[in-house]
Amino acid sequence: MNANLIDRELHFVDNNKAISLYGALNKNLQAIEKCSGVTIHARGNNLKIVGLAHEVELVTDLLNQLYDLIGKGYPVYSSDFAFGLRILESTPKARLDKIFLDKVFVTTQSRVVSPKTRNQKAYIEAIRNNDIVFGLGPAGTGKTYLAVAMAVSALTSGQVRSIILTRPAVEAGEKLGFLPGDVAQKVNPYLRPLHDALNDMLGPEKSSDLIEQEIIEIAPLAFMRGRTLSSAFIILDEAQNTTREQMKMFLTRIGFDSQAVITGDTTQVDLPLKNQSGLLQAKKILGNIDGIEFCTFGKEDVVRHPLVQKIINAYEKQ
């Protein structure tokens, strides 16, 4: 063995928990090897982890914590191994159960929606404790998906009577009037990410039924002027493409027993003049108001395909 390498042996008492931890054909262990640099030898309930000292300690902590999570009823997913490693790399004393066990919603496929990073956990807590929350950060950080999960959870638990989804339609340089169909059909392409999240949470049939009953409403930002939105969970997505006037209009629509989540990526402003972004200005104007909280995500919070984080890193270097 290389003089710089060490090994650590683990023994898991519960065979069923060990099987869940390893994954089918040891798929989870292979994923850990790929993203950590260690080599893992499995023999029944026994593991030998070989690698550099800090890598071995990190993986040992990860496996022990995920094994304990399985014992607490958490359905460990293959992606949790990469998320867990990322958390422990940045915060070695972190407790994964404080993050992963924060169940936001259970989808129709029985998949548990929960935060996967420390910033996602803080975002969920901010939404629970504030009437207006801004989620700022790059693509893939879960800011929109988690907002939808919180909205559906609030609706199904009776905290609100409706969900309102809105988004500025400026990406393609087209005006809504030039697109075919009614209002919902015109704005649907721009709201597709929100629809995808709803379908994932509720299933396409249930989601469509709630939209038809107007319990979930598609509300183009341009058509919200003059309304008061009460007892609703309101999500403004792609808010970096609002103007100062649009942002002010949106924020002053919020009525009693409502809360709003505004999401956006300030590096992806599609307005003719970037400094016109209502999201950028809102952060300067509203940053010190009680009841309004700003949550910022970074590339370390990307929870999509592992290549997404590498893509973001590559673009930042240009």
Side-chain angles (χ1 to χ4, degrees):
M1 180 183 295
N2 187 308
N4 294 322
L5 301 181
I6 68 167
D7 64 81
R8 177 70 61 83
E9 294 189 3
L10 292 178
H11 174 71
F12 300 110
V13 176
D14 190 306
N15 185 59
N16 290 329
K17 287 164 61 177
I19 291 173
S20 297
L21 183 67
Y22 295 3
L25 301 176
N26 293 343
K27 181 180 179 181
N28 294 337
L29 300 181
Q30 294 166 14
I32 295 174
E33 289 180 324
K34 185 175 181 180
C35 56
S36 70
V38 304
T39 300
I40 302 176
H41 304 281
R43 184 182 294 273
N45 289 11
N46 299 304
L47 292 181
K48 177 184 281 190
I49 306 166
V50 181
L52 298 176
H54 70 281
E55 296 172 342
V56 171
E57 294 299 325
L58 182 68
V59 170
T60 298
D61 188 18
L62 173 70
L63 288 169
N64 281 328
Q65 289 204 47
L66 291 178
Y67 179 80
D68 290 342
L69 276 168
I70 292 170
K72 294 176 181 178
Y74 178 77
V76 171
Y77 305 110
S78 58
S79 57
D80 289 331
F81 292 84
F83 300 148
L85 274 175
R86 202 180 301 171
I87 293 170
L88 294 174
E89 282 175 339
S90 61
T91 312
K93 295 184 178 181
R95 295 300 308 167
L96 299 182
D97 57 353
K98 301 296 184 183
I99 300 174
F100 290 175
L101 288 181
D102 188 354
K103 183 168 64 176
V104 177
F105 191 73
V106 180
T107 72
T108 51
Q109 289 82 31
S110 299
R111 185 174 179 84
V112 177
V113 179
S114 63
K116 301 299 183 184
T117 72
R118 295 175 67 210
N119 283 334
Q120 286 192 353
K121 170 68 173 177
Y123 182 53
I124 292 300
E125 290 297 331
I127 294 173
R128 288 176 176 144
N129 297 319
N130 297 274
D131 288 336
I132 299 176
V133 173
F134 287 78
L136 313 177
T141 52
K143 54 190 184 295
T144 300
Y145 190 83
L146 288 174
V148 173
M150 290 294 288
V152 173
S153 177
L155 179 67
T156 56
S157 64
Q159 297 175 44
V160 297
R161 294 198 301 267
S162 64
I163 296 173
I164 297 173
L165 310 175
T166 185
R167 196 181 191 194
V170 301
E171 293 87 346
E174 295 177 307
K175 295 185 180 297
L176 293 177
F178 295 151
L179 299 175
D182 58 23
V183 170
Q185 292 169 327
K186 290 175 189 292
V187 79
N188 183 66
Y190 300 101
L191 292 170
R192 191 71 254 169
L194 298 172
H195 278 291
D196 290 343
L198 280 173
N199 290 341
D200 194 30
M201 307 284 173
L202 299 168
E205 186 174 344
K206 178 67 172 178
S207 178
S208 296
D209 288 344
L210 292 174
I211 291 173
E212 187 174 343
Q213 297 170 40
E214 297 186 349
I215 294 173
I216 297 177
E217 182 183 355
I218 300 171
L221 183 59
F223 289 15
M224 293 185 69
R225 191 175 303 277
R227 299 182 61 186
T228 300
L229 308 173
S230 299
S231 192
F233 197 113
I234 314 153
I235 298 173
L236 170 58
D237 194 33
E238 295 290 333
Q240 75 273 8
N241 289 325
T242 61
T243 63
R244 175 190 172 106
E245 292 74 20
Q246 287 175 322
M247 179 62 75
K248 179 182 177 182
M249 179 272 290
F250 171 79
L251 292 172
T252 54
R253 299 307 93 205
I254 300 168
F256 289 107
D257 300 318
S258 288
Q259 66 180 127
V261 177
I262 301 96
T263 68
D265 179 358
T266 55
T267 69
Q268 297 290 327
V269 177
D270 295 312
L271 297 171
L273 295 176
K274 183 176 181 179
N275 60 7
Q276 290 181 339
S277 172
L279 183 60
L280 288 168
Q281 295 182 356
K283 190 173 182 180
K284 298 177 183 177
I285 296 170
L286 307 175
N288 296 320
I289 297 180
D290 289 339
I292 299 178
E293 187 162 343
F294 288 79
C295 297
T296 302
F297 297 91
K299 58 189 177 184
E300 69 276 7
D301 297 301
V302 172
V303 292
R304 290 181 181 167
H305 192 285
L307 282 176
V308 173
Q309 190 175 33
K310 294 180 180 179
I311 290 169
I312 292 173
N313 288 336
Y315 273 96
E316 285 183 349
K317 293 177 182 178
Q318 296 300 312

